[in-house]
């Protein structure tokens, strides 16, 4: 099976970087692509896991190709198209193109945007047409080859729910922790966190972050060993995971 986790050195030396795209601009392109993909998915009523799978495909693809070579919005649409089939929530390519066009048209019509921004989105709205359907079909073949036909993607959401069920204490606070962590997971897909850490570690790290921010200390859980010193609630799921590693995940 392919290994889909990359070091910071690898993330700093992507094809886009070697193609002259500075790190800040590449990070922005990744954010824009992820946001676009999610908004299009929401427009079509797709499930959260479908959109997340599409975003993971998107981030993985650009570890092997430059943003200069493959336009991020069309590739984002392609990733969503493939994710829909993988997660058994398929959408017709023409419907994805229609959602993509609407996304840019909405942004182009916002008076809060600068003239330059509105022209930018108008140009991209016009780029989604009948020909784009053929482009997406072509891109899908390249995408599949790039991700080595490895279509199984796990997400932190399921691990979050699983771990939360083992926690004991104030149910209101636990539910609040889950909701807040869920939001952090959503936000994480705009970054390269899914390229650096396994989903179970991301879930634990973001639950840890949420507990710190909300000042909710987790002191009891299912299978807690009485009298054990320095025991953490996540020890039963991932061994050898200390707080220094979790804080490193969050940097």
């Amino acid at each position: 099976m392919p290994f889909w986790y990359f070091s910071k050195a690898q993330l700093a030396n992507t094809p886009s970087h070697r193609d002259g795209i500075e790190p800040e601009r590449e990070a922005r392109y990744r954010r824009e692509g992820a946001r676009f993909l999610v908004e299009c998915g929401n427009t079509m009523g797709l499930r959260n896991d479908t959109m997340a799978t599409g975003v993971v495909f998107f981030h993985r693809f650009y570890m092997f190709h430059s943003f200069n070579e493959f336009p991020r919005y069309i590739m984002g649409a392609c990733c969503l198209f493939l994710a829909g089939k993988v997660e058994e929530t398929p959408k017709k390519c023409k419907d994805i193109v229609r959602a993509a066009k609407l996304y840019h048209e909405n942004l182009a019509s916002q008076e809060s945007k600068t003239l330059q921004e509105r022209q930018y989105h108008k140009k991209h709205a016009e780029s989604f047409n009948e020909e784009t359907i053929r482009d997406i079909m072509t891109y899908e073949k390249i995408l599949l080859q790039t991700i080595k036909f490895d279509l199984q993607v796990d997400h932190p959401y399921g691990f979050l729910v699983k771990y939360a069920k083992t926690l004991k204490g104030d149910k209101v606070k636990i539910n609040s922790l889950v909701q807040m962590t869920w939001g952090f997971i959503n936000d994480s897909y705009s970054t390269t966190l899914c390229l650096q850490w396994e989903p179970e570690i991301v879930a634990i790290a973001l639950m840890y972050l949420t507990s710190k921010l909300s000042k909710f200390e987790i002191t009891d859980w299912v299978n807690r060993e009485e009298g054990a010193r320095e025991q953490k609630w996540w020890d039963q799921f991932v061994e050898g995971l200390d707080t220094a590693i979790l804080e490193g995940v969050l940097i």
Side-chain angles (χ1 to χ4, degrees), residues 3-12 59-61 63-64 192 194-197:
F3 186 73
W4 292 113
Y5 302 102
F6 303 86
S7 67
K8 291 190 181 297
Q10 289 174 309
L11 288 167
H59 284 307
R60 289 177 179 178
F61 181 84
M63 289 303 296
F64 299 93
T192 57
C194 65
L195 298 178
Q196 300 178 65
W197 298 96

Side-chain angles (χ1 to χ4, degrees), residues 97-115:
V97 169
R98 188 180 298 115
K101 188 177 185 68
L102 180 62
Y103 169 82
H104 286 293
E105 285 177 342
N106 287 340
L107 290 174
S109 65
Q110 291 180 6
E111 294 184 1
S112 59
K113 299 289 184 184
T114 65
L115 177 60

Side-chain angles (χ1 to χ4, degrees), residues 71-104:
R72 60 194 178 282
Y73 293 120
I74 297 178
M75 181 49 68
C78 174
C79 290
L80 189 59
F81 180 58
L82 178 60
K85 291 189 281 187
V86 169
E87 300 294 348
E88 299 183 350
T89 55
K91 292 294 181 182
K92 293 180 180 179
C93 194
K94 66 178 182 180
D95 292 332
I96 294 177
V97 169
R98 188 180 298 115
K101 188 177 185 68
L102 180 62
Y103 169 82
H104 286 293

Side-chain angles (χ1 to χ4, degrees), residues 64-77:
F64 299 93
H65 300 279
S66 169
F67 279 100
N68 284 340
E69 184 180 5
F70 292 94
R72 60 194 178 282
Y73 293 120
I74 297 178
M75 181 49 68

